[in-house]
Amino acid sequence: MPHLVKFAEYVSSHKTVMAEEIVNAVIERASLKISDDERENAVVMYKEFLTFLGDIAEQHRTTAPEALINWSKENAAMQVSAGGKISEIIVRYQPTREVFIEVVNEIGEQLNLCIKEQSEIIKKVDLLLDTSLNETVFAYEAMTERMEERYLEETARLSAPIVPVREGVVVLPLIGEMTAFRARYILENVLPELAGSDITHAIIDFSGITPVEIEVAQYLNQMKGMLQLLGIQVLATGFRPDTVKSLVDSGLVDFRNTRAFTTVKQALDSLEKVNI
């Protein structure tokens, strides 16, 4: 019987015991403090990993199975959902590798495998661990980036609520630090909500934002342009000296000609005078 098949059969029939021994050894070697539930989950995970190892050994594969990649992504998803750090995963791989090498050597002695045969199995262990580590990190980064993007989108939406104040008039209060991302999100996702509405005037209130960069000023100018294309007249309130300077420095003449008021109340009073 080929030595890899013998090894695969051994792993298949002993994977529960092996998984428990590996988990205990890794916990001790890495000085990890984990709950009983985490330990049980780790045992289940290592049983799956040993299944992958047995399969790759028996089938003489030179690439990691797709199931391992999916398994690694699931591990990353659990870490993200638990609010854990990627370093908490990475730190476990080196002691895991060391423990697996010791386990392979012990099994090799029991099965009378030669050094070359054990070395071949260790290479497969390395392949699985390296693939798992890479896929886990890639998946973790992708998921955290998506979470960060969703957070930024929600923050952008909340920072620019559309507030109806009277028939045909809304106030768009810009709140907090106005980054290029937030300005672009408002331009692409918030303002289009006004399309097809009965809104005739929009008051953009700048009193709640910090100084803006030139790139942000350009987006703000585009906001005004979009509203005008929607048939909505734009009024501006709450300009601070630093905000005015940013807009002027950006060369946005359109905002220089915008009807501006100190407060939203003054802007509303001006609309009252023209019966709006």
Side-chain angles (χ1 to χ4, degrees):
M1 180 182 295
H3 64 279
L4 291 182
V5 175
K6 290 169 58 179
F7 177 82
E9 290 183 347
Y10 181 93
V11 169
S12 178
S13 59
H14 295 80
K15 61 184 177 183
T16 298
V17 174
M18 290 176 63
E20 292 177 347
E21 292 178 350
I22 290 171
V23 168
N24 291 336
V26 172
I27 290 174
E28 181 179 357
R29 189 158 305 187
S31 300
L32 299 175
K33 294 182 179 180
I34 64 175
S35 66
D36 291 339
D37 287 343
E38 289 178 302
R39 183 187 175 282
E40 290 303 315
N41 288 336
V43 170
V44 172
M45 288 165 53
Y46 276 112
K47 284 175 64 177
E48 293 183 54
F49 188 90
L50 288 166
T51 299
F52 299 140
L53 178 59
D55 290 345
I56 196 174
E58 186 174 12
Q59 299 171 19
H60 302 280
R61 297 173 58 107
T62 57
T63 58
E66 186 68 24
L68 173 70
I69 295 175
N70 294 331
W71 176 77
S72 302
K73 292 178 179 178
E74 291 172 0
N75 289 344
M78 287 190 293
Q79 189 73 354
V80 171
S81 63
K85 300 178 180 179
I86 188 62
S87 59
E88 295 173 358
I89 296 178
I90 294 176
V91 73
R92 302 179 185 185
Y93 271 82
Q94 184 54 38
T96 299
R97 195 183 304 271
E98 294 170 357
V99 169
F100 260 100
I101 291 174
E102 294 172 3
V103 169
V104 169
N105 289 336
E106 290 176 3
I107 297 173
E109 291 181 6
Q110 294 182 45
L111 301 180
N112 295 319
L113 303 182
C114 67
I115 297 298
K116 182 179 179 181
E117 292 168 340
Q118 294 183 42
S119 176
E120 188 173 347
I121 295 172
I122 289 173
K123 287 181 181 179
K124 294 184 181 297
V125 171
D126 285 337
L127 170 64
L128 292 179
L129 287 175
D130 290 343
T131 301
S132 177
L133 176 58
N134 290 337
E135 293 296 332
T136 300
V137 171
F138 294 154
Y140 182 94
E141 290 179 346
M143 282 182 280
T144 51
E145 286 173 4
R146 286 197 296 272
M147 290 181 63
E148 177 70 14
E149 185 174 341
R150 287 196 294 270
Y151 169 78
L152 291 174
E153 289 176 354
E154 184 62 23
T155 302
R157 176 172 290 277
L158 293 175
S159 69
I162 296 175
V163 184
V165 290
R166 65 178 60 164
E167 186 176 355
V169 181
V170 297
V171 175
L172 183 67
L174 303 180
I175 304 168
E177 182 183 2
M178 186 55 58
T179 63
F181 177 90
R182 290 171 69 176
R184 184 173 64 253
Y185 183 85
I186 294 168
L187 178 68
E188 296 175 353
N189 298 278
V190 178
L191 297 189
E193 294 178 4
L194 297 176
S197 67
D198 295 328
I199 302 302
T200 58
H201 289 76
I203 301 172
I204 302 179
D205 182 39
F206 291 85
S207 61
I209 66 171
T210 56
V212 298
E213 302 293 335
I214 289 180
E215 182 183 4
V216 176
Q218 293 171 340
Y219 280 115
L220 294 175
N221 189 54
Q222 291 178 43
M223 288 182 199
K224 178 190 174 186
M226 173 178 284
L227 289 169
Q228 290 176 330
L229 287 174
L230 293 173
I232 299 173
Q233 296 298 311
V234 177
L235 293 80
T237 63
F239 275 137
R240 302 188 322 191
D242 48 13
T243 304
V244 173
K245 183 177 184 305
S246 297
L247 293 172
V248 172
D249 289 345
S250 70
L252 302 176
V253 180
D254 283 351
F255 255 109
R256 293 180 184 178
N257 298 330
T258 299
R259 295 174 61 193
F261 301 87
T262 303
T263 65
V264 172
K265 183 179 183 303
Q266 290 177 353
L268 290 171
D269 288 344
S270 73
L271 296 178
E272 284 280 1
K273 293 177 182 178
V274 292
N275 297 320
I276 294 176

